[in-house]
Amino acid sequence: MKPTEIAWSHSSLKGYVSCPHKYYREKVVKDVPFAESEALRRGNDLHDVMEKAVKTGMPLPKRWDQPHLQDTVAWARSLPGVRCEEQLAFTASLERCEWFDRKKRVWSRCKIDLQAFFSEDTALVLDYKTGKYWGDDGQAGLT
């Protein structure tokens, strides 16, 4: 695989900055399998739970039954045009394409945790965080 064929995302850029060699081994030559950490599993679990709760009104499981999460779900359910876990992929010319589009050659990907549409030109984008707050690392601007 040529490096130019690898779609980038905020997460992949962050991984590269953290350790270029690990990124190369996992994403380019793929001789080292990606290992999901406990923190990543926890974050993925929260995303799944929040998506179901916002979309269906399903109560939060005991592990996640916390007032701030309950408030977030109630607030999100009150917003117009809510979508959860929206996957966006683009070509290098910023044409929308499928997540794994090989024909158009997906260039970049991002997943939006929660979005609401207030009008044709006004939207809200929310990104859930479960770990340490890293400040403005560029993810919101990129999304």
Side-chain angles (χ1 to χ4, degrees):
M1 173 180 286
K2 298 175 189 172
T4 56
E5 294 176 356
I6 299 172
W8 67 273
S9 65
H10 180 267
S11 299
S12 65
L13 289 175
K14 201 169 166 183
Y16 177 81
V17 168
S18 174
C19 184
H21 181 73
K22 179 180 178 185
Y23 178 89
Y24 175 76
R25 301 284 304 274
E26 284 182 355
K27 306 290 185 190
V28 180
V29 296
K30 298 183 179 184
D31 65 343
V32 173
F34 174 74
E36 186 179 62
S37 67
E38 177 56 35
L40 185 56
R41 277 191 292 279
R42 182 174 185 263
N44 288 337
D45 183 42
L46 175 67
H47 281 250
D48 291 342
V49 163
M50 292 296 285
E51 179 180 16
K52 289 174 185 167
V54 170
K55 282 183 172 178
T56 69
M58 176 189 87
L60 295 170
K62 188 170 185 163
R63 174 181 183 190
W64 295 109
D65 191 13
Q66 300 166 22
H68 70 283
L69 293 178
Q70 291 171 351
D71 291 346
T72 301
V73 169
W75 172 74
R77 287 181 57 79
S78 74
L79 297 172
V82 171
R83 295 184 194 164
C84 299
E85 301 300 323
E86 182 91 1
Q87 293 181 327
L88 302 176
F90 300 92
T91 66
S93 60
L94 300 181
E95 177 187 352
R96 184 92 185 257
C97 64
E98 295 300 318
W99 193 256
F100 290 111
D101 198 328
R102 295 206 186 276
K103 186 176 182 184
K104 288 186 179 180
R105 299 186 66 143
V106 61
W107 175 69
S108 178
R109 295 182 181 109
C110 83
K111 188 182 272 192
I112 300 175
D113 299 344
L114 183 126
Q115 58 188 324
F117 295 90
F118 296 93
S119 68
E120 187 175 305
D121 61 353
T122 305
L124 168 86
V125 173
L126 182 70
D127 187 64
Y128 306 132
K129 297 294 181 199
T130 57
K132 181 179 178 182
Y133 176 66
W134 295 97
D136 183 5
D137 62 359
Q139 183 177 11
L142 177 64
T143 304

